[in-house]
Amino acid sequence: LPGQHGSWLVLLSVLVALLSSAMALLVAGLARRRSQLGLARIALGTGALSLGAGVWAMHFIGMLAFQLCTKVRYSPAITIGSMLPSLAASYVALWVLSRRQVRRGQLVLGGALVGAGIGLMHYGGMAALEMAPVLRYDPVWFAASLGVAVGLAVLALWIRFELARRRWLTPGQAIALGGVVMGLAISGMHYTAMAAARFVGQDEPGFVADLGRSS
């Protein structure tokens, strides 16, 4: 079955991903400078919530932008539960990166965790779909979506921490550029994964698309 995306909601979803990523990277830097364990944990929790909830919000705004020629509902329990992987992965990744000295291996590990959390959140969120068509995935595009998430997440963390450490960028520039790349990891993974999705079934008789949201 063919699907369409509404351009304004797509842009909104990307903006949410960019801003939440920049906030998470900013707070991760604050956690590294906190000597008190309690304050550092609060900062880590805040950053993980920003990034994890940003991934979740971006996904479902992107799904609001998507129009199929059939009625689609969402399982409330799976929809809410799909946020957990991105929250957990974000917290662990930011905890790894909150150390005073962040090595290259830790950047790769943190990026891989964030990318995996993005992927688990997306495909968990897709499992919340309740509809007549059957959802399948193209294996090549499926693998590409995970590669986009992990690769860009690692690059974002490298920009944020390594380039700032080398003083090639100011901290503000590193946060802004890293946030852009992390936001692209989140939104790029989502829309690559949507390209992998195959909705197999019949058009719903009499279904009228909401053309005001689609383009």
Side-chain angles (χ1 to χ4, degrees):
L1 297 177
Q4 296 176 314
H5 280 94
S7 55
W8 288 110
L9 284 174
V10 169
L11 290 175
L12 177 61
S13 71
V14 174
L15 181 61
V16 166
L18 296 177
L19 294 178
S20 62
S21 298
M23 178 61 72
L25 294 179
L26 172 63
V27 175
L30 294 176
R32 298 177 68 191
R33 297 195 294 270
R34 292 294 177 267
S35 58
Q36 296 182 2
L37 182 60
L39 293 177
R41 286 179 175 174
I42 291 173
L44 286 176
T46 303
L49 180 62
S50 175
L51 186 56
V55 172
W56 186 85
M58 181 275 142
H59 171 82
F60 284 105
I61 294 172
M63 292 308 296
L64 285 175
F66 185 68
Q67 183 79 65
L68 271 179
C69 51
T70 187
K71 291 181 180 178
V72 177
R73 296 181 177 84
Y74 292 88
S75 166
I78 299 177
T79 296
I80 296 171
S82 65
M83 188 190 294
L84 297 178
S86 59
L87 285 174
S90 297
Y91 185 87
V92 174
L94 294 182
W95 176 77
V96 169
L97 298 170
S98 66
R99 301 180 181 183
R100 298 285 182 180
Q101 297 296 326
V102 180
R103 296 184 176 85
R104 185 174 302 174
Q106 292 171 327
L107 289 176
V108 173
L109 175 61
L113 286 171
V114 172
I118 296 169
L120 286 171
M121 188 277 118
H122 174 86
Y123 289 108
M126 294 298 286
L129 288 170
E130 296 178 344
M131 56 186 177
V134 178
L135 177 58
R136 297 287 185 264
Y137 293 101
D138 178 278
V140 175
W141 281 102
F142 176 87
S145 70
L146 297 178
V148 166
V150 173
L152 289 181
V154 171
L155 177 59
L157 297 181
W158 183 78
I159 290 171
R160 167 63 184 93
F161 293 101
E162 187 66 15
L163 294 190
R165 185 185 67 81
R166 297 182 184 183
R167 298 184 179 180
W168 293 357
L169 296 174
T170 66
Q173 291 172 336
I175 290 170
L177 183 56
V180 168
V181 176
M182 184 68 78
L184 292 177
I186 297 168
S187 53
M189 187 278 158
H190 174 86
Y191 290 109
T192 304
M194 291 304 294
R198 302 290 182 265
F199 300 92
V200 183
Q202 298 293 324
D203 292 353
E204 184 175 327
F207 179 81
V208 178
D210 182 1
L211 297 178
R213 288 199 292 116
S214 301
S215 61

